[in-house]
Amino acid sequence: MLRTFVVLGRSHSVTEAAERLRLKQPTVSSALKRLEDRLGKRLIDRSPGHFRLTEAGELLFREAIEIQGAILRLGTLMRDVVDEVRGHVEICVASHVVCPLFDETLRRFHERHPAATLSFRVSSSKDALEAVMARRASMALCLVRKRNPKLEYARLFREFFGLFCGPTHPLFGLNGLTRADLAGQTAVSFVTDRLEDALRPVTLMRADLDVVDRTVGTSANLEEVRRMIIAGLGIGPMPVHVVRRDLEDGLLWQLPPYDNLPAIDVHVVWNPSAKMNRAETALLDMLLEQIRQVPIEARTYI
């Protein structure tokens, strides 16, 4: 019933939840009713055109995600009892995280623990944090806007965002551009480029340049934002150090402002209540030790 409820909490209707679970709608409705009867609480407000978790439902949803994550990890923990040297590390990472310090840590980790395995899942920062909270991932490398007190955070590196356009854009290749030249231009950006989200500094920069109201495309994936910029849909923000090769190859052109660019921090995030296997613990410890030893100035990429 809890598994069904977690899917209901992520859906917009009982029908949608049934499709995700590959069950019939009456089966899902019956499971929800049994759960509500068992708890003596109404968990979902549902009526024509209305489907939303109640306050009790929100509380149960958060707890059920943690329970589900703990159950999913039992297999990993049992394998460690048999063979403690071998372990798997699941890392959720925001798209196109470029961090030499992390790459060097991975090299050292593999050198010391060649039997350990790793997998990377690229997702939005929001989904990455949810996966760590639900214990579906060992750790996340992502942007953070609001900290969850149940998670732990360490700043991995700092990057700076500039604005760019593609080869077919009318501003491409022009020197001596000013902020005024960008006013009214169409824009593309990340879904987190909002005042209440992780890329708030980028939003403020675009607002100052009057390129907020004409956003024609968004994505949670850096490669897709890059695609839209190169295709000429509009100007867009990108981490300067990530697109350096694109600038050299003539695929992107940097636009004003050139100084005082917004700084964005990328964090490593983990769940301290999760029972980690030896491989997960070893990689996290190595990464945190590198962060402690290397000053932030050396982890700031421009």
Side-chain angles (χ1 to χ4, degrees), residues 124-126 143 189-200 203 219-220:
S124 68
S125 293
K126 178 182 177 182
L143 308 183
S189 195
F190 297 87
V191 293
T192 49
D193 181 358
R194 300 177 299 181
L195 284 175
E196 69 276 14
D197 220 323
L199 288 181
R200 173 184 171 88
T203 307
S219 175

Side-chain angles (χ1 to χ4, degrees), residues 28-79:
V28 175
S29 295
S30 176
L32 174 60
K33 186 178 186 307
R34 292 201 308 273
L35 185 59
E36 290 181 326
D37 290 345
R38 178 76 61 86
L39 297 174
K41 299 285 185 181
R42 187 169 179 81
L43 301 174
I44 298 179
D45 284 329
R46 49 199 187 277
S47 60
H50 184 77
F51 189 85
R52 186 174 63 187
L53 293 175
T54 63
E55 185 177 351
E58 291 279 3
L59 176 61
L60 179 63
F61 180 70
R62 291 194 297 269
E63 295 300 321
I65 286 177
E66 291 198 46
I67 293 170
Q68 186 182 56
I71 294 173
L72 289 172
R73 293 183 60 78
L74 282 176
T76 299
L77 296 177
M78 295 305 294
R79 285 197 300 271

Side-chain angles (χ1 to χ4, degrees), residues 287-300:
L287 187 55
L288 294 179
E289 181 61 25
Q290 283 289 92
I291 291 173
R292 284 190 291 267
Q293 290 184 1
V294 180
I296 185 58
E297 292 77 14
R299 294 182 279 119
T300 298

Side-chain angles (χ1 to χ4, degrees), residues 150-194:
K150 292 186 178 181
L151 300 178
E152 295 287 342
Y153 304 80
R155 181 170 59 178
L156 180 59
F157 69 93
R158 170 168 288 178
E159 60 187 5
F160 292 86
F161 274 70
L163 290 175
F164 301 88
C165 67
T168 61
H169 195 275
L171 298 181
F172 187 89
L174 298 182
N175 295 307
L177 293 171
T178 66
R179 291 168 174 260
D181 295 313
L182 275 62
Q185 294 288 338
T186 57
V188 299
S189 195
F190 297 87
V191 293
T192 49
D193 181 358
R194 300 177 299 181

Side-chain angles (χ1 to χ4, degrees), residues 6 18-19 37 56 91 118 126 152 162 169 173 226 234 254 269 298:
V6 167
E19 291 174 352
D37 290 345
I91 303 173
L118 302 98
K126 178 182 177 182
E152 295 287 342
H169 195 275
R226 172 182 176 272
Q254 188 167 2
V269 186

